[in-house]
Amino acid sequence: TAIKEKTLDDVLGDLEIVLLESDVAFEVVQKIQARVREELKGKKIKWGEEASAAIEHALRSYIRTELSLKPIDLEKSLAAGPKPYTILFLGVNGSGKTTSLAKLAHRLSKQGHGVVIAAADTFRAGAIEQLEVHGERLGIRVVRQKEGADPAAVAFDAVQHASKRHSDVVLIDTAGRQHTNENLIEEAKKIRRVVHPSLTLFVGDALSGNDMVEQAKLFNKELGFDGVILTKLDADVKGGAALSVASVVHKPILFVGLGQGYDDLKPFDIDWMLARIFA
Amino acid sequence: GKSLRSILAKIAKSSTIDAALVDEVVKDLQRALLQADVNVQLALDLTKRVRTRAMEGKIPTGANLRDYLVRVIYEEICAILGTTKPYAIKPKRIMLVGLFGQGKTTTAGKLARYYQKKGVHTTLVAADIHRPAAVDQLEQLSKKVHAGFYAHRGELRAEVIAREGRASAPQGDTILLDTAGRSAIDPDLIAEIKRCKQAFEPEEVLLVLDAAMGQLAGRSAAAFHEAVGLTGVILTKLDGSAKGGGALSAVAQSGAPILFVGTGEHMDELEHFETTRFVSRLLG
Ligand SMILES: Nc1nc2c(ncn2[C@@H]2O[C@H](COP(=O)(O)OP(=O)(O)OP(=O)(O)O)[C@@H](O)[C@H]2O)c(=O)[nH]1
Ligand SMILES: Nc1nc2c(ncn2[C@@H]2O[C@H](COP(=O)(O)OP(=O)(O)OP(=O)(O)O)[C@@H](O)[C@H]2O)c(=O)[nH]1
Ligand SMILES: [Mg+2]
Ligand SMILES: [Mg+2]
């Protein structure tokens, strides 16, 4: 017997609640519902265990597809890319850009790369000092200018410095910005124009709910990014934000942040994410 | 006998509820609440209550059904948020707590400016011993708003800094204690915030909450409330696109009112919380 429309509705209703409570954005949940419904429409499945398995399978395969976007092999890109390879970090206020940059700097330098950091958040109180502490602890050079300097100039300065010293990676920290702030979006556009980053990463906060979708869409539309770092997944959250962002901009998640220490940056793993959402 | 006029008048007065229309409007309200990050269970409860009130048929004649239902949900939300009481400006000890990156340190600076503008001198105490350059960040803000500042670089016990800061601040100052971002379920960090509270004896404990926070808002507010007792909530980053629906649960779980909202990164971008504005923005 095919799964009855009414029973499927009830099950999808329960599923909707679970996904919403896991911080999957509303519009993404609707997409998932539609796809699972489509997948199961008229299928010859017995209600009960078989139906439950079919629904879980449809759900898992959809999520897997959304999250399995062409992954970026950072090591390969570094080897094949320009020298120095420049990575630009963008995101809204407090999402974890500076901390993620420090973690990635640590990881890359452990892997034998010469890393230079550009302190291009020239606005926020203590932003440059925050990076200088990281630089000191990691033994990595931080290129900075004075507070209020042009962020694009600092980024450019760092790239020049790296070229001279034959450092192969430059990580560029930027100020937090709301995607709704046109001036700050223009500022970020200027940084991109001046530096032509080899890789642009959007740093998203896994504590966020539906706004993640707005942020990701606008940052991608206005600035464009190649991949995502999702932070604070060590907090008491399921991490549905991963699904939200992947599903609206179709960009791969490179790393997840799992704490405030330098080793708390893990390459994104789909099975790990699925296990978390289905836990 | 009945006049045609009286029959027509009777028909005009009656308003049978169109269940399909109610369901349609309720579904819209649900979507608005969920997209605004209101806690899922709370959103479902709210819309259930709205539907019940609608089906009870107490719609005033002539009222558009949609407008009526919106007004009903508006009243339900206001009931959760409580009435806005005027904020008392006098010297007090205020402790700021919250998750990572919510805007505590920035808000500390804004509150200092707010108090100074109202004629109460303020001292900012830097008790975040975890985050790199957190002390520098708060010190720079204190200079910007011309407030007093206390730090004890090298002291690794936050509660010692809290106690020293309280003792060193001039008599009659408002003292603002900035603490490190923390998970509400980390036993060590919760123990630290409890020790800070014991040492500082704040008259106000304010939860700083990012308007973009998702479903964790209610749970974490409940945990902070249980640990240190919240007396107020400050909702930040409302200058973005986030609606701040998580604040409803934060209030519901702690009984603490939303006192202020942050509307930007500058020290003057702090406003008194206004229920009407918040709710109409929440409902889109
Ligand atoms: N628990 C946890 N905390 C994190 C993680 N990533 C960042 N944080 C914390 O989040 C807070 C903000 O981090 P920052 O790196 O300063 O964020 P940012 O995006 O650079 O902030 P702005 O530059 O002010 O926009 C700090 O307290 C970090 O320690 C993570 O993966 N897990
Ligand atoms: N747009 C906007 N940004 C804000 C607002 N409040 C704070 N911020 C920014 O949010 C980021 C984080 O602010 P912080 O004050 O460092 O946050 P915090 O809670 O002290 O962070 P931790 O101490 O690491 O937990 C900074 O970039 C602030 O400028 C606001 O109302 N609007
Ligand atoms: Mg930063
Ligand atoms: Mg802080």
Side-chain angles (χ1 to χ4, degrees), chain A residues 91-100 103 121 124 127 130 173-177 203 230-235 256-260 264, chain B residues 100-101 128 131-132 137 181 265:
Chain A
V92 302
N93 307 84
S95 67
K97 299 175 289 302
T98 305
T99 306
S100 300
K103 291 172 183 177
D121 175 355
R124 207 206 68 213
Q130 184 183 7
D173 191 23
T174 65
R177 70 201 68 235
V203 180
L230 199 62
T231 66
K232 307 180 196 170
L233 274 164
D234 53 306
V256 294
L258 292 171
Q260 299 172 285
D264 294 327
Chain B
F100 321 95
D128 178 351
R131 172 171 158 153
Q137 182 183 5
E265 294 192 76

Side-chain angles (χ1 to χ4, degrees), chain A residues 17 20-21 23 26 93 123-126 129-130 134 176 178-180 207-211 214 232 236 260, chain B residues 31 34-35 37 40-41 44 100 131-133 137 140 185 212 214-216 219 237 239-242 265-266:
Chain A
I17 291 179
L20 288 170
E21 288 183 327
D23 285 318
F26 184 86
N93 307 84
F123 167 74
R124 207 206 68 213
E129 291 80 354
Q130 184 183 7
H134 285 309
Q178 293 296 324
H179 43 293
T180 49
L207 304 181
S208 312
N210 283 263
D211 201 51
E214 297 309 308
K232 307 180 196 170
D236 177 27
Q260 299 172 285
Chain B
R31 178 185 43 78
L34 292 170
Q35 286 191 307
D37 295 315
V40 177
Q41 286 307 324
L44 296 178
F100 321 95
R131 172 171 158 153
Q137 182 183 5
Q140 289 176 18
I185 57 166
Q215 294 296 307
L216 181 58
R219 279 202 299 293
K237 308 178 199 173
D239 48 302
S241 55
E265 294 192 76
H266 299 98

Side-chain angles (χ1 to χ4, degrees), chain B:
Chain B
K2 293 223 180 254
S3 72
L4 182 59
R5 183 160 296 285
S6 70
I7 293 171
L8 289 175
K10 186 150 178 278
I11 293 171
K13 280 231 194 72
S14 90
S15 57
T16 54
I17 312 303
D18 178 350
L21 184 55
V22 170
D23 282 346
E24 187 191 332
V25 176
V26 163
K27 210 155 163 230
D28 278 349
L29 288 174
Q30 214 166 71
R31 178 185 43 78
L33 292 174
L34 292 170
Q35 286 191 307
D37 295 315
V38 174
N39 175 279
V40 177
Q41 286 307 324
L42 181 56
L44 296 178
D45 288 343
L46 277 171
T47 47
K48 200 160 167 211
R49 264 181 276 168
V50 169
R51 194 175 183 287
T52 308
R53 278 176 69 172
M55 298 313 279
E56 280 170 4
K58 299 205 177 66
I59 298 187
T61 51
N64 174 309
L65 180 67
R66 182 173 289 267
D67 290 345
Y68 174 71
L69 293 181
V70 170
R71 191 151 52 79
V72 169
I73 202 160
Y74 179 85
E75 288 170 12
E76 294 282 349
I77 294 174
C78 285
I80 295 173
L81 293 174
T83 45
T84 322
K85 296 193 201 69
Y87 185 72
I89 311 287
K90 54 177 163 64
K92 34 180 133 161
R93 289 182 300 281
I94 303 173
M95 180 164 99
L96 298 178
V97 301
L99 292 167
F100 321 95
Q102 306 290 291
K104 296 176 293 301
T105 306
T106 306
T107 301
K110 291 177 180 179
L111 280 170
R113 163 151 296 175
Y114 175 80
Y115 268 90
Q116 305 249 124
K117 271 212 181 129
K118 303 271 179 180
V120 176
H121 190 262
T122 305
T123 294
L124 291 163
V125 179
D128 178 351
I129 52 104
H130 299 279
R131 172 171 158 153
V135 175
D136 295 315
Q137 182 183 5
L138 191 64
E139 184 168 31
Q140 289 176 18
L141 294 180
S142 73
K143 291 207 180 89
K144 223 181 231 141
V145 302
H146 308 296
F149 178 71
Y150 182 82
H152 185 159
R153 285 180 169 82
E155 172 55 66
L156 293 181
R157 290 162 299 175
E159 65 274 18
V160 170
I161 301 173
R163 186 172 58 245
E164 292 175 356
R166 173 186 179 176
S168 86
Q171 193 63 258
D173 256 31
T174 269
I175 314 172
L176 284 160
L177 185 70
D178 183 27
T179 67
R182 70 200 63 228
S183 161
I185 57 166
D186 181 324
D188 295 330
L189 293 179
I190 288 298
E192 181 189 81
I193 203 88
K194 283 182 170 170
R195 291 194 301 272
C196 284
K197 182 180 182 192
Q198 256 193 316
F200 190 67
E201 291 182 306
E203 287 141 289
E204 283 189 34
V205 179
L206 307 181
L207 176 71
V208 179
L209 179 67
D210 188 328
M213 173 79 62
Q215 294 296 307
L216 181 58
R219 279 202 299 293
S220 90
F224 276 114
H225 186 57
E226 193 196 345
V228 290
L230 301 175
T231 62
V233 175
I234 299 184
L235 191 59
T236 64
K237 308 178 199 173
L238 272 171
D239 48 302
S241 55
K243 304 276 170 50
L248 283 184
S249 316
V251 173
Q253 293 292 325
S254 64
I258 304 173
L259 298 173
F260 296 99
V261 295
T263 56
E265 294 192 76
H266 299 98
M267 294 295 101
D268 56 354
E269 290 175 310
L270 185 75
E271 297 174 14
H272 275 288
F273 177 70
E274 260 175 58
T275 312
T276 323
R277 237 167 123 210
F278 172 75
V279 181
S280 58
R281 184 165 176 232
L282 192 83
L283 296 175

